[in-house]
Amino acid sequence: MEGKIIVITSGKGGVGKTTATASIGAALALEGKKVAVVDMDIGLRNLDVVMGLENRIVFNIVDAVNGKCQTQQAAIKDRKIDNLFLIPASQSDNKNVITPAAMKKFCVLLRKEFDFVLLDCPAGIEQGFENSVIGADQAIVICTPEVSSVRDADRVIGLLYAKSVQPKLLVNRIVPEMVERGDMLSHEDVVDVLSIDLIGLVPMDESVIVSTNTGAHLIQNNKSKAGQAFRRVALRLNGNADLPIEVPQAKKGFWKKIGFGLSRNK
């Protein structure tokens, strides 16, 4: 049985694609799947830092696609989770060094080697996007509850449909208190505009920053609400499609609780 290739994209930069890729990949590996996370952001490279593997890089995605090394040589084994591998981007090349045709052939090799391949797509809709989407079975579109992010996501969704890649939506960095006050779009607002199926809702969580700075896996922090949300996304991708999507809830302060109790006793 061949593996599944999923591109994680957004159009807009800075919405949390790299954290999502690392977290969902780690969660799938903990489910017993052999997983590769692939950094497609050629020229920059961030996924290795998020995973704490920056000092282990010998070969990269450009070397593997262009036949300078075997897939297994480019795939760096994670320090903490078995079955999780990183194929890093190159920092010394530009995005045009890989062609969509070459990437499509490479995806055939990846399918044979891994159960799941997650492609961390660079921002924008140019060559890096084309390379990331060409071999994908489906897409996860990351969107934050901001008008600019929703607009860019809508553009990307149209391009994915044109390439026959089925998209699902992950709304990231939700602040429930702001949603309650009407200062942030709700996930219902986002879904109404984009009109695609939800695969997850992820709250804003300061542990994401701690995880990124330490190279620790977010999903292994049981106190991290974002980490647990990403883990549920992985479970849905792994066949638990009916797993309910939890909506991030605002914290109730002491006086709010008291007020709520009094109002119920009236």
Side-chain angles (χ1 to χ4, degrees):
M1 187 174 174
E2 289 193 333
K4 183 179 287 188
I5 297 181
I6 301 168
V7 60
I8 297 182
T9 185
S10 67
K12 186 179 188 291
V15 298
K17 286 191 300 290
T18 299
T19 298
T21 303
S23 299
I24 296 168
L28 285 167
L30 287 177
E31 290 297 305
K33 300 298 180 182
K34 189 177 181 184
V35 181
V37 292
V38 183
D39 192 342
M40 296 297 293
D41 201 356
I42 296 165
L44 290 176
R45 195 162 80 192
N46 286 307
L47 193 51
D48 57 307
V49 176
V50 169
M51 296 176 69
L53 297 172
E54 64 271 23
N55 294 326
R56 294 194 175 184
I57 296 171
V58 178
F59 297 107
N60 57 58
I61 182 69
V62 175
D63 297 325
V65 170
N66 292 335
K68 292 182 181 178
C69 70
Q70 298 295 314
T71 306
Q72 296 91 331
Q73 291 176 289
I76 305 164
K77 191 176 184 299
D78 187 72
R79 294 174 189 271
K80 304 179 186 74
I81 299 177
D82 290 336
N83 294 329
L84 178 61
F85 297 84
L86 163 71
I87 300 179
S90 165
Q91 283 186 309
S92 58
D93 294 290
N94 63 54
K95 290 179 172 63
N96 298 323
V97 75
I98 295 177
T99 65
M103 188 63 199
K104 192 169 186 177
K105 286 182 182 177
F106 185 58
C107 285
V108 173
L109 299 177
L110 291 174
R111 286 180 200 282
K112 294 175 181 175
E113 188 72 27
F114 299 97
D115 298 313
F116 283 93
V117 178
L118 305 184
L119 303 178
D120 183 10
C121 183
I125 52 173
E126 297 166 351
Q127 184 78 46
F129 175 81
E130 294 289 333
N131 288 339
S132 302
V133 171
I134 190 71
D137 302 301
Q138 67 182 90
I140 295 176
V141 177
I142 309 280
C143 180
T144 56
E146 306 164 55
V147 173
S148 61
S149 180
V150 174
R151 182 191 60 197
D152 287 352
D154 195 33
R155 172 80 171 122
V156 164
I157 289 164
L159 292 171
L160 291 167
Y161 278 133
K163 295 176 184 299
S164 301
V165 178
Q166 197 67 28
K168 289 188 181 294
L169 177 66
L170 190 153
V171 185
N172 196 23
R173 297 180 182 161
I174 298 168
V175 183
E177 292 81 4
M178 292 182 69
V179 174
E180 275 195 1
R181 295 197 304 266
D183 294 332
M184 175 178 277
L185 297 174
S186 69
H187 74 274
E188 292 99 339
D189 295 330
V190 178
V191 172
D192 282 347
V193 173
L194 299 179
S195 300
I196 61 171
D197 292 339
L198 262 180
I199 197 167
L201 300 173
V202 182
M204 183 76 84
D205 187 341
E206 65 181 22
S207 60
V208 172
I209 298 170
V210 176
S211 171
T212 301
N213 287 338
T214 60
H217 286 294
L218 184 67
I219 56 125
Q220 291 185 304
N221 179 354
N222 292 327
K223 294 181 180 178
S224 169
K225 291 184 177 180
Q228 298 314 303
F230 283 127
R231 193 155 196 171
R232 290 191 294 274
V233 171
L235 290 172
R236 293 182 192 104
L237 290 173
N238 197 29
N240 295 288
D242 296 330
L243 186 67
I245 292 177
E246 293 189 15
V247 179
Q249 300 295 322
K251 288 181 181 178
K252 298 291 183 187
F254 176 76
W255 292 111
K256 263 195 172 180
K257 288 178 185 176
I258 293 293
F260 180 64
L262 291 172
S263 66
R264 287 185 62 182
N265 291 330
K266 282 182 180 178

